[in-house]
Amino acid sequence: MNAPIISRQSCQLEDVGAYLDGELAGVSLETFEAHLKTCVDCAAELRAQRQLLCTLDVAFNESCPFELPRDFTRVVAAHAENDLSGVSKKGERRRALQLCAILALLSFALLGAAARTLVFDPVRSFLRVVGGLLNLLWQTVYDAVTGIAVIVRVVGRAIVLGPHGLGLFLTLVFIVSISLLSLLIARYHRAQIIE
């Protein structure tokens, strides 16, 4: 009873395509052929893909080739250059966008489950990574602002409520003004040299 469950879990449908294309060889070929004898799902998938290949072969072999007129490209190019009536209409872009959206929905519907793995899973993964980066950036900015607020509050409380708070505050203002004064003097001298 456990053997069919184990074989179903080891099914890999891409092996069916590789088997049909002749890409399996040696041990992997023998293993897959042995698996086909026990797995109904893989055998059904192999049968369905063989039927599809036969249908495609018949459809492409029955179509008879046709010849284009010898001046076909010149005529098409002339018509394309002369017929610009669709470009001048205002609703042309909206109509083209609607047509593209309809074609995209039809292609996703025809792809079925493959559309989820081919399109939606990578987009979801990308959005998850971008969300994580934005969350990290937000958390970093929030923590930095919170830390600065705590430091300013502690220093402000020490200056205001301390025994020599006013003197310490005036000393801090004096040091900042002296450093700004030296910066202004340096800029003034640079401006004099340039002139």
Side-chain angles (χ1 to χ4, degrees):
M1 190 133 210
N2 291 338
I5 294 172
I6 293 171
S7 66
R8 283 189 189 131
Q9 289 177 348
S10 65
C11 292
Q12 294 180 354
L13 294 180
E14 59 267 6
D15 286 347
V16 175
Y19 178 75
L20 285 174
D21 292 338
E23 295 174 357
L24 296 179
V27 176
S28 58
L29 177 65
E30 292 172 7
T31 305
F32 183 73
E33 287 177 343
H35 176 74
L36 280 176
K37 292 176 183 175
T38 60
C39 182
V40 178
D41 294 334
C42 289
E45 180 66 25
L46 179 65
R47 214 174 11 262
Q49 287 193 20
R50 279 185 177 159
Q51 287 175 349
L52 175 67
L53 289 175
C54 290
T55 304
L56 290 174
D57 283 342
V58 168
F60 286 124
N61 287 336
E62 286 182 0
S63 63
C64 57
F66 60 92
E67 291 190 30
L68 295 175
R70 63 183 171 88
D71 58 347
F72 178 74
T73 56
R74 186 181 55 79
V75 171
V76 169
H79 282 289
E81 289 175 0
N82 292 334
D83 187 19
L84 297 175
S85 62
V87 176
S88 63
K89 293 181 182 177
K90 291 183 178 181
E92 185 70 26
R93 287 187 182 168
R94 186 179 67 233
R95 213 170 338 170
L97 185 63
Q98 289 172 347
L99 182 62
C100 289
I102 290 170
L103 289 175
L105 287 174
L106 280 174
S107 64
F108 287 144
L110 292 175
L111 283 174
R116 184 179 61 83
T117 58
L118 292 174
V119 177
F120 296 121
D121 286 348
V123 169
R124 187 179 304 135
S125 175
F126 174 75
L127 291 176
R128 191 177 308 126
V129 168
V130 169
L133 289 175
L134 289 175
N135 187 25
L136 175 68
L137 179 65
W138 166 251
Q139 194 66 35
T140 303
V141 169
Y142 176 77
D143 289 343
V145 169
T146 304
I148 290 171
V150 168
I151 291 170
V152 167
R153 187 174 53 200
V154 168
V155 170
R157 190 175 291 158
I159 290 173
V160 172
L161 298 177
H164 303 291
L166 185 59
L168 186 60
F169 178 71
L170 291 176
T171 305
L172 183 64
V173 169
F174 180 70
I175 291 171
V176 170
S177 63
I178 292 294
S179 58
L180 288 177
L181 181 63
S182 64
L183 181 67
L184 289 173
I185 291 171
R187 282 190 183 174
Y188 173 75
H189 285 297
R190 271 192 226 134
Q192 292 296 326
I193 293 172
I194 293 174
E195 289 178 1

